Amino acid sequence: MKIDLHVHSKYSTRPSQWVLQKLGCHECYTKPQQLYAIAKQRGMDWVTITDHNNINGCLEIAHLPNTFISEEVTSYFPEDGCKVHVLCYNIDADNHRELQKLRENIYNMVEYLQHQKIPHTLAHPLWSVNGRLNIDHFEKLLLLFKNFEINGSRDEQLNLFLRRILGHLTPECYDQLSNKHGIVPAFPEPWRKNLTGGSDDHSSLTITRIHTEVPGANTLEDFFFGVQH
């Protein structure tokens, strides 16, 4: 089963780049049904949309076969306002509302995702969204997340660095990090990470260029089980 797990529609309205904000531009102008058609044409078995803090694009295609609701949630480290993006999958409207309430505190939001067993992954883990990401933040993210994204729109060097870092983690590393930051991972073998792939397309030009494939998956439940194990 193949799914592009990170793609945007016209409902992503606030760009990260300050120039585009000043110009009043949207981050993306792709219509949800156009996105669906392209993804299916390019071989995706299921289609979802991960707009920023918004599920309207998903709702617009919810009547079409093989779709599910997702979003890219902007969250923060409460101690200093460092911003991170978390991709949350196969949610419903109640989950969306609760995530929007909790997203000001990354620790509370991750606890909710884990408690509700909502599949989630850390988007573009080495890209600093608001210029505040440092080594301490990344170490905490290693303790908080099991799934990390290989991103299709950021510098490919960041994906290569991420693979190298995650490939050299050990149980000893996690003992040191857990003692340093006072965070106990809520999942087994936290040094073993899973990778997901998403195009992070904002233009309709690169939809599915990077996607996630789970061999042998026949249902959406099979797919996310394969992603997380």
Side-chain angles (χ1 to χ4, degrees):
M1 185 179 292
K2 299 177 182 179
I3 307 175
D4 186 343
L5 287 177
H6 190 172
V7 62
H8 294 272
S9 80
K10 68 177 184 178
Y11 290 102
S12 287
T13 58
R14 183 170 174 79
S16 300
Q17 297 85 353
W18 69 270
V19 174
L20 296 181
Q21 292 178 18
K22 291 294 184 182
L23 293 174
C25 294
H26 281 205
E27 185 171 1
C28 179
Y29 289 91
T30 307
K31 296 178 181 179
Q33 294 209 18
Q34 176 191 11
L35 186 159
Y36 177 89
I38 292 172
K40 294 297 285 185
Q41 182 182 24
R42 295 179 180 173
M44 297 299 103
D45 297 290
W46 286 70
V47 179
T48 194
I49 300 174
T50 52
D51 286 317
H52 291 289
N53 307 305
N54 192 313
I55 61 172
N56 289 338
C58 289
L59 296 177
E60 200 168 298
I61 61 170
H63 64 288
L64 297 174
N66 294 359
T67 62
F68 59 96
I69 299 173
S70 305
E71 67 179 313
E72 183 174 11
V73 180
T74 302
S75 189
Y76 302 85
F77 282 93
E79 55 266 38
D80 56 16
C82 176
K83 185 187 294 188
V84 295
H85 289 168
V86 182
L87 297 158
C88 304
Y89 303 115
N90 205 21
I91 61 174
D92 58 28
D94 289 338
N95 297 142
H96 164 68
R97 284 189 288 269
E98 192 63 25
L99 288 167
Q100 292 306 302
K101 293 177 185 176
L102 295 172
R103 70 186 184 91
E104 297 299 320
N105 185 316
I106 185 67
Y107 308 109
N108 293 342
M109 193 181 82
V110 167
E111 183 178 8
Y112 172 78
L113 289 168
Q114 293 168 342
H115 183 264
Q116 295 294 314
K117 295 182 170 55
I118 294 172
H120 58 281
T121 192
L122 181 65
H124 37 69
L126 293 177
W127 182 60
S128 182
V129 180
N130 63 347
R132 298 187 180 185
L133 184 73
N134 59 34
I135 292 176
D136 279 345
H137 295 122
F138 186 70
E139 289 176 349
K140 293 174 184 177
L141 293 170
L142 290 173
L143 294 164
L144 291 170
F145 288 90
K146 183 74 170 178
N147 304 325
F148 287 70
E149 183 196 42
I150 298 298
N151 185 278
S153 74
R154 306 296 165 188
D155 188 337
E156 181 59 24
Q157 287 295 321
L158 296 181
N159 291 331
L160 294 174
F161 291 150
L162 179 66
R163 288 182 184 274
R164 290 175 184 172
I165 293 169
L166 300 185
H168 286 83
L169 298 174
T170 65
E172 292 73 25
C173 290
Y174 273 83
D175 288 341
Q176 294 173 7
L177 293 179
S178 185
N179 290 331
K180 177 179 178 181
H181 297 292
I183 299 172
V184 178
F187 41 85
E189 298 186 327
W191 56 91
R192 299 185 188 275
K193 300 300 186 186
N194 304 317
L195 294 175
T196 65
S199 65
D200 198 2
D201 178 87
H202 291 74
S203 64
S204 80
L205 298 177
T206 63
I207 294 170
T208 78
R209 187 181 73 175
I210 291 182
H211 57 271
T212 303
E213 180 174 358
V214 177
N218 295 310
T219 66
L220 201 57
E221 290 72 22
D222 289 344
F223 176 86
F224 283 114
F225 181 86
V227 165
Q228 299 178 98
H229 293 84

